[in-house]
Amino acid sequence: MPQMAPLYWLVLFFFFLFSLLLFSTMNYFIKPFEKKDHSMKKPTLNFKIWTL
């Protein structure tokens, strides 16, 4: 739609950049799950996770 005003496109462009920046920072700083430490739980050699 090139008939729209260029300032409107500029506002939309800055809104898109702000949304992308906000999404990236939230994705980087907020982790949904804590990382589990598996060093304490080591299965033995004959331990079967599933059986038929």
Side-chain angles (χ1 to χ4, degrees):
M1 291 178 269
Q3 68 270 20
M4 285 187 177
L7 287 177
Y8 182 68
W9 286 110
L10 190 65
V11 169
L12 285 178
F13 178 67
F14 281 125
F15 177 73
F16 170 73
L17 284 181
F18 175 73
S19 302
L20 190 67
L21 182 71
L22 187 67
F23 176 75
S24 300
T25 53
M26 286 178 67
N27 219 7
Y28 181 76
F29 287 113
I30 299 175
K31 299 294 180 188
F33 303 109
E34 295 179 4
K35 292 182 179 178
K36 296 182 179 178
D37 186 21
H38 293 290
S39 62
M40 299 295 288
K41 296 179 181 178
K42 292 202 173 188
T44 58
L45 293 176
N46 55 3
F47 176 72
K48 294 181 181 176
I49 298 175
W50 55 271
T51 56
L52 292 176

